[in-house]
Amino acid sequence: MIATKGIDTVVAEDNQLWLAMWKNQQTDFHQPLVNRHLQEYWHRLKVPNMGRVLVPLCGKSNDLLWLAARGFEVIGIELSSLAVKAFFKENQLKPKKTRSGHFTIWRHGRIRILCGDIFLLKHTHLGQIDAVYDRAALTALAEPARKRYVRKLLSLMPLLKPILLLTTEDVDPLRTQDSVALVDQEIFDLFSPHFAIAVSYGDTYPVAFSPATVNKVYQMKRLTAATD
């Protein structure tokens, strides 16, 4: 039997791989345009005006700019200092930098990026959070680290807040061309104890063609006290 790696080992290996990708400029995953699903479905979360939005594993995503332009206070979390530096440089922004524990904080206007390991993040680093925007942060993690990631999100939101979750998943074998997208079993297992889960979007494809993966958008709403 092959020994299972400890979760700390998995996270450490993931971190080193992520840092190496930015160092070696292997960043084809970066999307220069604002995500169309964010623009289409964000309003459904009904985040308060000037609310505070947490964006885990944000890279140098221009989605941060889109959210800030709509009046939200945006807090990105990113491990790679190269990614953070690139975000501000490419957008011609001059941030102020401070240090807080394990994190270097880069700030400009409504945007704040905490550079460091998300698993070392504490609620005191953030204050109140009104919503979470996860653009494939969950699916970028190795499967053994995902439970820990969700637990970390929950610890950062003592009062559970809505989440817009964008994923890339294996094709659901039970889905047909005419049926709606289904909640992935892993997503259900991770989030259903705390959130009501709705699929806002799922890629469609002809019956004759089955892609390797599909994109989905989930809307997570806090369970009410009556259904907790």
Side-chain angles (χ1 to χ4, degrees), residues 7-25:
I7 185 62
D8 289 336
T9 301
V10 172
V11 170
E13 290 179 352
D14 271 1
N15 285 354
Q16 291 305 312
L17 177 60
W18 184 250
L19 293 172
M21 292 173 71
W22 282 99
K23 181 179 180 180
N24 299 324
Q25 299 183 357

Side-chain angles (χ1 to χ4, degrees), residues 161-163 165 187 191 195-197 218-222:
K161 302 297 182 177
I163 301 174
L165 173 66
I187 297 297
F191 289 97
F195 295 90
I197 307 170
Y218 293 95
Q219 182 180 348
M220 310 281 189
K221 289 188 176 180
R222 182 185 184 276

Side-chain angles (χ1 to χ4, degrees), residues 41-208:
Y41 297 108
W42 177 255
H43 71 280
R44 296 188 181 183
L45 268 62
K46 299 180 179 179
V47 183
N49 292 335
M50 302 179 67
R52 186 175 292 171
V53 181
L54 178 66
V55 186
L57 282 63
C58 63
K60 59 176 184 176
S61 173
N62 286 325
D63 293 355
L64 304 179
L65 296 173
W66 187 89
L67 288 164
R70 278 143 190 83
F72 299 107
E73 182 180 350
V74 184
I75 305 178
I77 311 298
E78 173 53 46
L79 181 66
S80 171
S81 60
L82 295 178
V84 180
K85 183 178 180 179
F87 170 80
F88 288 101
K89 182 178 181 180
E90 291 173 11
N91 291 294
Q92 300 180 354
L93 303 175
K94 296 182 179 180
K96 294 182 179 180
K97 291 194 288 184
T98 57
R99 187 75 185 175
S100 177
H102 297 285
F103 294 87
T104 300
I105 303 172
W106 303 54
R107 183 195 299 266
H108 183 278
R110 296 183 182 277
I111 298 174
R112 185 177 9 147
I113 301 180
L114 278 65
C115 185
D117 187 338
I118 190 171
F119 293 110
L120 300 177
L121 195 64
K122 298 180 180 179
H123 178 63
T124 52
H125 288 115
L126 305 176
Q128 175 180 319
I129 295 297
D130 296 300
V132 176
Y133 171 52
D134 180 322
R135 178 176 169 174
L138 175 72
T139 52
L141 295 170
E143 186 174 348
R146 292 174 190 165
K147 289 183 179 179
R148 183 178 180 185
Y149 169 76
V150 173
R151 288 197 300 269
K152 173 55 67 174
L153 288 186
L154 294 173
S155 74
L156 299 173
M157 300 184 292
L159 298 176
L160 298 180
K161 302 297 182 177
I163 301 174
L164 189 68
L165 173 66
L166 279 56
T167 65
T168 301
E169 303 173 4
D170 294 335
V171 173
D172 191 322
L174 299 179
R175 187 182 180 193
T176 66
Q177 186 179 19
D178 298 327
S179 65
V180 298
L182 305 174
V183 176
D184 179 78
Q185 185 61 51
E186 183 181 8
I187 297 297
F188 180 83
D189 292 342
L190 289 170
F191 289 97
S192 63
H194 309 283
F195 295 90
I197 307 170
V199 182
S200 298
Y201 169 87
D203 284 344
T204 58
Y205 47 89
V207 173

